[in-house]
Amino acid sequence: MDEKELKDEIQYNVREKLFPLLERYLFDTRDLEAVLKWKPVVLIIGNYSSGKSTLVNELLGKEVQRTGQAPTDDSFTIITSPEPEETENDIPGSTLVNDERFPFTSFKAYGERFISHVKMKLLNEPFLDNLAIIDSPGMLDSVTEKGRGYDFPEVIGDFAKLADLVVLMFDPHKAGTIKETYTTIRNTLPETASEDRIVFVMSRIDECDNLADLVRSYGTLCWNLSQMTGRKDIPRIYLTFSTTVVRNIGYLDDWIDERTKLKEKIMGAPELRINNILFDVDKKINELKMVVEAMTGFHRGGQRLLKRAVRTAFFCGLPAFLFLDFISQYTMDFPRQTLIFSLLTKTFSINNLIVPALGVTVISILIGLWYRKWTLPRYFKKCRANVDNLVSLNDAYRVQIWSRVKKNVLALLSKPGFEEMSFEHQRNFYDIEGFIKDDLQMYYSLK
Ligand SMILES: Nc1nc2c(ncn2[C@@H]2O[C@H](COP(=O)(O)OP(=O)(O)OP(=O)(O)O)[C@@H](O)[C@H]2O)c(=O)[nH]1
Ligand SMILES: [Mg+2]
């Protein structure tokens, strides 16, 4: 099976088998759908003037993006190739967020200001048939920012979710001290892109006067990164400069290789695609499984209550069945013959069952009502209040997943009714396990 076939197969099965379950348990499937439906993506983010657009132009081999010393670009530009029936052109944000072919329809929610700051450039470059590069506005300090008019970190987060590689660029002058960069690394990326998808780059290193200066800048960046990520180990940081901008390379000739390696890494992003899709599917499945697990626990507790109600109905119904006709005969002179008497005298007829059956029915209805109107809502309420008890939280990984999905369980438990009391959860749980064991394992072995 080649990569395309495998991708199609994953896409089909995830949509057929997983999406109905995800929707049933109130998950938003749009981010997974966006990842499944489009081509590999490289997102380039970082400080203003750190050389993002210069790098994009180098990759494309021509001046496509505007570059400049001050904050130059305040828009997101998605660069990819046109479909066979299309020609090179620019697609404005307003069209882009309404075009179902692209995974950007959910970005509409960021509003007009964002929509006017995003566009797609279609270029006839063969390597862009299977790759999209997103150039982004430079990150600013909050003091210098006049207000972007949309939630910038959220937008970066949504693009990062789509991306197979996130290239995070710094320059020696601002080695990690920019406010928006700080927020992105600290809060946005850990939620949206796994660590191995992030590529750290310090560009423009030619602007360090000498090696000592470069080492100082590198040290500052490492220190700032460890503060931002909380990681003790230093990630690989590509130390590069643009060979198209810099003529006099002086002591830097050893570093030319870094630029080549960085470009190779970016061009190799499509190879990470299947892996990243599987990673996202895996993550979603684990979240789904935990919700279903919680609902199965809820169902089990509900079943115990239901059994108790049935037992109560039986123990109250039995005396009613046997003796209610004694009372009604004594008080209303009806029926003329009680059920027990008819059995003892072997004169039983169907009429002897009217009052006992009526008694059992009334008792059952009363207990049913009591269960529906009193026991069940109380049980829902109790479970909502102690929602953490519905699952076992015995390791940090599960605690982390639970913090993301608890809201789904609370929402499912917000409407007391029989729907959530069904055996369906147990069945769904087995279906999910089946998907993990059969489908997912097979995809991992084929990739
Ligand atoms: N000396 C030097 N200058 C560079 C290098 N890379 C880019 N530049 C210059 O730095 C300036 C900023 O580069 P851009 O590519 O526009 O940076 P950017 O990150 O896209 O900036 P914004 O879009 O404003 O966020 C431009 O004048 C580039 O010519 C480099 O490696 N060395
Ligand atoms: Mg730029």
Side-chain angles (χ1 to χ4, degrees), residues 42-45 50-63 65-67 79 127 133-135 167-169 199 201 203-204 238 240-245 258-264 266-267:
V42 173
L43 171 67
I44 302 186
I45 55 175
S50 54
K52 299 180 294 297
S53 305
T54 306
L55 177 65
V56 170
N57 288 342
E58 269 177 51
L59 292 164
L60 297 167
K62 54 185 163 195
E63 292 283 312
Q65 291 294 85
R66 220 153 46 84
T67 59
I79 304 163
F127 79 89
I133 300 174
I134 306 179
D135 190 7
V167 179
L168 183 50
M169 294 189 71
V199 178
V201 179
S203 190
R204 300 179 66 162
Y238 288 82
T240 74
F241 60 95
S242 166
T243 41
T244 50
V245 175
E258 285 273 284
R259 194 68 166 188
T260 317
K261 284 197 190 119
L262 173 62
K263 286 187 211 161
E264 281 169 6
I266 294 174
M267 293 304 208

Side-chain angles (χ1 to χ4, degrees), residues 96-233:
L96 191 64
V97 296
N98 286 304
D99 194 328
E100 288 290 338
R101 283 178 305 156
F102 304 121
F104 305 113
T105 44
S106 63
F107 286 69
K108 219 186 309 187
Y110 290 114
E112 284 301 321
R113 281 293 293 280
F114 168 73
I115 293 171
S116 61
H117 284 85
V118 62
K119 63 174 168 299
M120 182 178 269
K121 281 188 184 174
L122 298 176
L123 301 176
N124 278 321
E125 277 298 332
F127 79 89
L128 292 177
D129 289 349
N130 193 29
L131 185 67
I133 300 174
I134 306 179
D135 190 7
S136 62
M139 295 188 180
L140 306 169
D141 257 325
S142 56
V143 266
T144 56
E145 190 185 5
K146 300 263 185 332
R148 292 189 188 270
Y150 59 89
D151 194 332
F152 182 69
E154 286 268 327
V155 170
I156 291 278
D158 276 0
F159 278 122
K161 277 188 205 156
L162 283 174
D164 297 277
L165 217 56
V166 179
V167 179
L168 183 50
M169 294 189 71
F170 300 91
D171 56 291
H173 315 292
K174 310 177 281 299
T177 50
I178 296 276
K179 180 76 195 297
E180 281 183 337
T181 315
Y182 181 88
T183 322
T184 305
I185 298 179
R186 177 104 210 168
N187 307 327
T188 313
L189 290 182
E191 290 281 311
T192 51
S194 63
E195 275 172 22
D196 54 349
R197 286 191 209 183
I198 303 172
V199 178
F200 295 91
V201 179
M202 183 157 80
S203 190
R204 300 179 66 162
I205 60 163
D206 56 289
E207 289 177 328
C208 298
D209 290 336
N210 48 44
L211 201 54
D213 199 13
L214 172 61
V215 171
R216 262 193 295 277
S217 293
Y218 175 72
T220 309
L221 179 56
C222 289
W223 165 257
N224 283 329
L225 277 182
S226 72
Q227 297 298 299
M228 290 184 265
T229 59
R231 279 171 64 177
K232 296 287 164 276
D233 57 327

Side-chain angles (χ1 to χ4, degrees), residues 311-331:
R311 224 172 331 167
T312 313
F314 179 77
F315 285 116
C316 297
L318 190 66
F321 186 75
L322 293 176
F323 305 115
L324 189 66
D325 49 5
F326 281 97
I327 299 171
S328 75
Q329 192 184 48
Y330 182 74
T331 52

Side-chain angles (χ1 to χ4, degrees), residues 420-434:
E420 300 306 343
M421 303 291 289
S422 82
F423 281 96
E424 185 198 358
H425 303 302
Q426 193 79 49
R427 239 185 0 254
N428 291 341
F429 187 80
Y430 292 134
D431 285 350
I432 295 165
E433 294 249 284

